Amino acid sequence: PQVTSNPKPMHLGMFEIGRALGKGKFGRVYLAKERKTGFVCALKVLHKNELQTGRVETQLRREVEIQSNLRHPNILRLFGHFHDSKRVFLIIEFAGRGELYKMLRKAGSFSEPRAASYVAQMASALSYLHKKHVIHRDIKPENILVGSHGEIKLSDFGWSVHAPTNRRTTLCGTLDYLPPEMLRGDSHGEKVDLWSLGVLMYEFLCGNAPFEDTPIETQKRIVKLNFKVPDFVSPEAKDLITRLLRLDPDKRLPLDQVAQHPWILKHCSKPQTAREKQRNNHQR
Ligand SMILES: Cc1cc(Cn2cc(-c3c(Cl)cnc4nc(-c5cn(C)nc5C)[nH]c34)cn2)no1
């Protein structure tokens, strides 16, 4: 829906509701079409009573506040929101190819060119976020969707905050992606997303997270940096993973150097236009 200068109140009747696309802890997501314009979107329906018991209203408010102001090709758009007596509705960009983690589970692991393309797109999205001093804090395959041209879309800003900060809400879900400073409850900054990018890249290439274990063992392995990159991973990819998975946040490779890393350049150099090919051939 185009946001007009005099926005009319939004309500459920504006939308034709289609099939369920997925479900999360506090509700479901449906395919939806705005009746007036035919605009297709995803409508996330959350139940107020469950939000209250889950004490996640603050996170939801933050998710709406942060995500509605973001504009980047690799960040899922939040176009607007409205509510009725029982439910909150988020009008979200529809990602045409669905959830990345389902693709990862089906494929087992991704090829190095495919993983490099995803890591490069993530680095671009995170660089945009960090320039706005927003940290995502919950980078994992489950929070990445895929657009209709195969581009990735970072979503679920329920854990995002403005840096620096420390955590006030109890952690829930997998610990696999948490950096040591968040496990310790220390104050932390944008560099937590660099650690999670390293965990994400490892999982893309290996099919499992580097510190995957029982919750207690995972925490011990994270703080001791106890992981091994399998031999089938190329030396360049292993180099990038080890430059991101550093206990000291200040030693993690900055995003602009991630984008320029040999492994990324090897797989992601943009295809040359015919003119560029012609010019390069003349220069040989
Ligand atoms: C509640 C709740 C559920 C979820 C997880 N979730 C996200 C979606 C979703 C969104 Cl938000 C936007 N676009 C989507 N496109 C799909 C999709 C496309 N195909 C071909 N298959 C699927 C599935 N899902 C989308 C659905 N569930 N987070 O909070």
Side-chain angles (χ1 to χ4, degrees):
Q2 299 312 321
V3 183
T4 56
S5 52
N6 56 336
K8 292 184 182 47
M10 291 182 270
H11 54 85
L12 192 53
M14 284 171 69
F15 298 95
E16 205 177 306
I17 307 298
R19 72 181 179 94
L21 292 171
K23 58 184 185 304
K25 224 168 160 186
F26 302 101
R28 287 173 186 271
V29 175
Y30 298 90
L31 193 57
K33 184 161 70 174
E34 193 188 17
R35 290 186 198 283
K36 191 161 145 286
T37 60
F39 184 82
V40 172
C41 59
L43 199 65
K44 190 185 273 193
V45 184
L46 302 164
H47 297 277
K48 286 184 179 177
N49 57 353
E50 289 169 20
L51 291 171
Q52 273 137 19
T53 42
R55 295 166 45 149
V56 288
E57 297 106 307
T58 333
Q59 278 174 267
L60 180 63
R61 252 183 268 280
R62 204 184 284 145
E63 176 177 357
V64 172
E65 154 60 29
I66 289 179
Q67 202 168 348
S68 24
N69 291 301
L70 300 176
R71 302 277 187 284
H72 187 281
N74 299 118
I75 293 176
L76 201 67
R77 279 291 306 278
L78 176 60
F79 294 113
H81 65 285
F82 56 94
H83 63 94
D84 64 15
S85 57
K86 290 194 173 47
R87 299 163 291 184
V88 177
F89 301 89
L90 305 185
I91 306 164
I92 300 174
E93 175 185 1
F94 171 62
R97 293 194 195 174
E99 300 178 75
L100 184 69
Y101 88 91
K102 287 182 184 168
M103 297 176 179
L104 181 55
R105 294 292 171 266
K106 188 159 179 271
S109 61
F110 292 146
S111 69
E112 297 215 357
R114 182 172 181 185
S117 169
Y118 291 159
V119 170
Q121 292 175 62
M122 284 298 294
S124 173
L126 291 174
S127 181
Y128 170 83
L129 283 177
H130 292 177
K131 284 191 179 82
K132 290 173 166 284
H133 300 295
V134 172
I135 34 181
H136 187 279
R137 296 203 308 178
D138 199 14
I139 307 286
K140 56 187 177 185
E142 290 78 352
N143 288 341
I144 300 173
L145 291 162
V146 185
S148 44
H149 305 291
E151 76 280 20
I152 58 171
K153 305 265 179 184
L154 179 55
S155 74
D156 209 326
F157 284 72
W159 275 92
S160 58
V161 286
H162 285 93
T165 182
N166 45 25
R167 183 170 34 86
R168 289 181 177 70
T169 312
T170 316
L171 296 170
C172 61
T174 176
L175 297 171
D176 279 323
Y177 279 76
L178 282 176
E181 62 269 30
M182 281 187 77
L183 273 181
R184 285 195 300 268
D186 294 354
S187 83
H188 49 270
E190 288 100 345
K191 294 182 169 60
V192 298
D193 289 338
L194 296 177
W195 171 279
S196 304
L197 182 59
V199 177
L200 186 74
M201 176 176 166
Y202 182 105
E203 183 161 359
F204 283 164
L205 294 171
C206 305
N208 57 282
F211 307 103
E212 204 162 277
D213 212 313
T214 64
I216 303 283
E217 278 310 305
T218 294
Q219 294 185 63
K220 285 184 188 168
R221 293 183 59 191
I222 289 172
V223 296
K224 286 196 287 192
L225 203 61
N226 172 9
F227 74 98
K228 185 187 174 322
V229 179
D231 295 339
F232 60 78
V233 175
S234 72
E236 299 88 351
K238 179 172 180 173
D239 178 78
L240 180 50
I241 291 170
T242 53
R243 288 177 190 275
L244 290 167
L245 296 182
R246 294 281 172 86
L247 292 176
D248 178 352
D250 294 329
K251 294 223 170 38
R252 291 169 199 159
L253 198 65
L255 288 167
D256 56 336
Q257 293 179 48
V258 171
Q260 295 301 315
H261 187 277
W263 183 68
I264 297 289
L265 294 180
K266 178 168 129 183
H267 293 299
C268 295
S269 46
K270 66 182 168 44
Q272 282 182 326
T273 59
R275 180 101 187 83
E276 281 166 337
K277 277 198 186 94
Q278 192 187 29
R279 190 185 314 128
N280 291 348
N281 288 340
H282 281 319
Q283 281 163 359
R284 280 206 182 122

